[in-house]
Amino acid sequence: MAATLCGRLLPKQGWLPLTQSVRHGSKAVTRHRKPMHILKQKLMAITEYIPPKPAAPPGALTPRVKPVQEESGLVLLLKKDLQTMFQDCKMIAVIQNNATNSEDMLLLKHRLHKHGIKIKFIPNQVMRSYLADSPYINMGPLFIGQTVLFVSKEPKVKEMLLSLRTSPQMVLLGACIEKILLSRQGVLNYAKLPSVTVVQGELVSGLTMLTSQTASMLQRHPTHLSLILQQYLKQQAPAGSTNGTPGESPPKAEETA
Amino acid sequence: MAASSKTTVVLKTVKNIVVQFCPFESNVRSTREFLVLVGSEKARSTNMNCEVMTEVKHDQSEPVVDITFMDGERLMMKGARLTSKEMLTALQSRCVAKDPQAKITAKK
């Protein structure tokens, strides 16, 4: 230290040897690396010690197992609600909304409330986890993005479609009506169907048409019936003779007899 | 860093947009997200004449976005393998290319 400092502190005049000492010709570092022969250098480089790499800690190799998150109370509550909803309501429609205003939403809600249709907002994750357990698993892919549920006890499809027509941003994706999954086309067709009583009436009338005709024929005078039967025989006979084969006409004569 | 500097699109040069998809398919996510972005209030307020029409089909067809511009050009994007961001940047770049003067004045 004194040797390094002496270059600065030693003025040429005023040098007091008693207070300031200078080591002259003595070095601090005396052990230098001896020059090695190039071959020895190479040998030393080759035979250097490579320490063994420590094995990875046990926590790093095993894949991290995510602790299974228990569903929070809210999720469980929502799932219970969903269960009751699916059991009670006959119609559940899934609609995608592209940023509807709150005013529009209020209007829509009001319009639907008149027909007893409720609007429900349920997070997609909860919905999907519920549907995976329930028999409605095929509804799962519908719930991507912003979705709204319209639920009602009675399948009032026409009114729902009318109110949806007024709001262009709500897109009907699909519906589960009376436990049957329908696409948009299916919903439109369902809306065009007549009511159950009308369909039942049509079915009954179609089945009883023949019997009602025979009943009305029998109620008329029996000569009318005998005339009709004679006409029928005459029509059958020429048809059998014009065919030509004699084999055909005897079976026909047997049948009419 | 964001590919589109703003999440809204300026639809001034767009005549109408038709988005068709089948919701029961699995490759529909990006198309639906694109629809949300384009159908949002902000995007629609940039051009009230532009109609955003949605068709929901059930024939297992690919999701397709069909955009018609004011000068008659059509842009068709098949959304089965695209992300919503890619579709948005494609649309934005074309809008800017068509109407550069308005964009430059807006940015200034």
Side-chain angles (χ1 to χ4, degrees):
Chain A
M1 190 188 77
T4 51
L5 285 173
C6 72
R8 295 283 168 82
L9 291 174
L10 255 190
K12 288 285 160 85
Q13 310 102 11
W15 177 71
L16 297 164
L18 290 169
T19 50
Q20 294 158 11
S21 59
V22 181
R23 253 192 289 161
H24 198 58
S26 59
K27 296 181 192 168
V29 177
T30 50
R31 250 182 273 181
H32 301 285
R33 256 185 263 174
K34 212 170 152 191
M36 254 196 258
H37 194 269
I38 183 67
L39 287 176
K40 189 176 177 189
Q41 236 176 356
K42 283 185 184 174
L43 197 68
M44 294 294 282
I46 288 168
T47 55
E48 249 180 57
Y49 173 62
I50 300 168
K53 279 197 188 146
L61 286 174
T62 54
R64 232 194 287 177
V65 177
K66 274 194 194 164
V68 177
Q69 267 186 338
E70 268 190 26
E71 290 175 345
S72 66
L74 181 64
V75 171
L76 287 169
L77 195 69
L78 283 172
K79 277 195 173 174
K80 271 191 207 164
D81 278 346
L82 276 174
Q83 210 175 12
T84 46
M85 204 172 74
F86 269 94
Q87 276 169 357
D88 295 336
C89 300
K90 284 198 181 165
M91 177 175 89
I92 299 166
V94 181
I95 282 115
Q96 172 172 346
N97 62 334
N98 311 324
T100 319
N101 288 350
S102 46
E103 313 155 12
D104 289 345
M105 187 64 97
L106 265 178
L107 278 173
L108 191 66
K109 223 175 180 173
H110 180 67
R111 236 178 270 137
L112 292 172
H113 197 68
K114 278 193 238 170
H115 303 296
I117 303 178
K118 284 181 257 183
I119 301 187
K120 293 237 170 190
F121 298 89
I122 295 180
N124 284 344
Q125 268 184 349
V126 172
M127 196 75 207
R128 261 182 262 159
S129 69
Y130 172 72
L131 287 176
D133 299 327
S134 75
Y136 305 99
I137 188 167
N138 290 324
M139 277 178 86
L142 284 179
F143 292 94
I144 296 177
Q146 286 244 340
T147 45
V148 185
L149 279 182
F150 286 7
V151 298
S152 79
K153 293 222 170 119
E154 299 299 317
K156 296 202 167 168
V157 185
K158 269 190 212 164
E159 292 89 0
M160 188 182 78
L161 287 172
L162 280 170
S163 23
L164 279 177
R165 213 179 283 176
T166 50
S167 55
Q169 290 311 306
M170 307 284 258
V171 182
L172 174 66
L173 299 169
C176 177
I177 301 182
E178 287 172 0
K179 306 206 178 152
I180 299 171
L181 186 58
L182 294 170
S183 71
R184 187 194 157 93
Q185 264 306 308
V187 171
L188 291 170
N189 292 343
Y190 183 92
K192 287 182 199 159
L193 284 178
S195 71
V196 182
T197 44
V198 171
V199 173
Q200 278 175 345
E202 275 183 29
L203 188 70
V204 167
S205 62
L207 286 172
T208 56
M209 193 172 70
L210 290 171
T211 45
S212 64
Q213 268 184 358
T214 41
S216 62
M217 248 198 288
L218 288 169
Q219 274 167 4
R220 285 195 202 170
H221 205 263
T223 49
H224 192 151
L225 186 60
S226 53
L227 279 172
I228 288 172
L229 286 171
Q230 278 175 11
Q231 186 71 29
Y232 179 70
L233 278 175
K234 277 185 210 167
Q235 276 176 348
Q236 287 298 308
S241 59
T242 47
N243 279 345
T245 51
E248 275 190 354
S249 43
K252 279 208 172 161
E254 278 175 328
E255 277 179 42
T256 47
Chain B
M1 189 187 80
S4 53
S5 55
K6 304 170 198 167
T7 45
T8 57
V9 241
V10 181
L11 295 170
K12 289 217 166 73
T13 52
V14 179
K15 205 171 173 186
N16 73 345
I17 300 177
V18 179
V19 182
Q20 46 170 283
F21 60 90
C22 166
F24 291 96
E25 292 283 307
S26 49
N27 52 4
V28 184
R29 189 185 202 106
S30 53
T31 314
R32 280 175 78 165
E33 285 172 5
F34 178 76
L35 178 63
V36 168
L37 286 170
V38 161
S40 66
E41 288 298 314
K42 272 195 230 170
R44 277 187 297 145
S45 62
T46 57
N47 182 358
M48 295 310 280
N49 298 328
C50 173
E51 297 172 353
V52 179
M53 291 188 289
T54 319
E55 288 172 15
V56 178
K57 293 191 179 169
H58 193 45
D59 49 2
Q60 295 173 336
S61 58
E62 285 184 9
V64 173
V65 177
D66 191 356
I67 302 171
T68 315
F69 291 96
M70 290 285 192
D71 51 4
E73 198 184 306
R74 279 181 68 178
L75 169 66
M76 272 192 51
M77 293 196 274
K78 299 203 175 162
R81 305 264 184 203
L82 294 169
T83 65
S84 53
K85 238 183 195 175
E86 287 170 2
M87 293 203 263
L88 195 68
T89 44
L91 174 61
Q92 269 190 337
S93 59
R94 277 176 185 74
C95 281
V96 165
K98 290 206 185 274
D99 202 7
Q101 293 135 359
K103 265 282 172 184
I104 290 163
T105 48
K107 276 178 188 166
K108 278 184 188 167

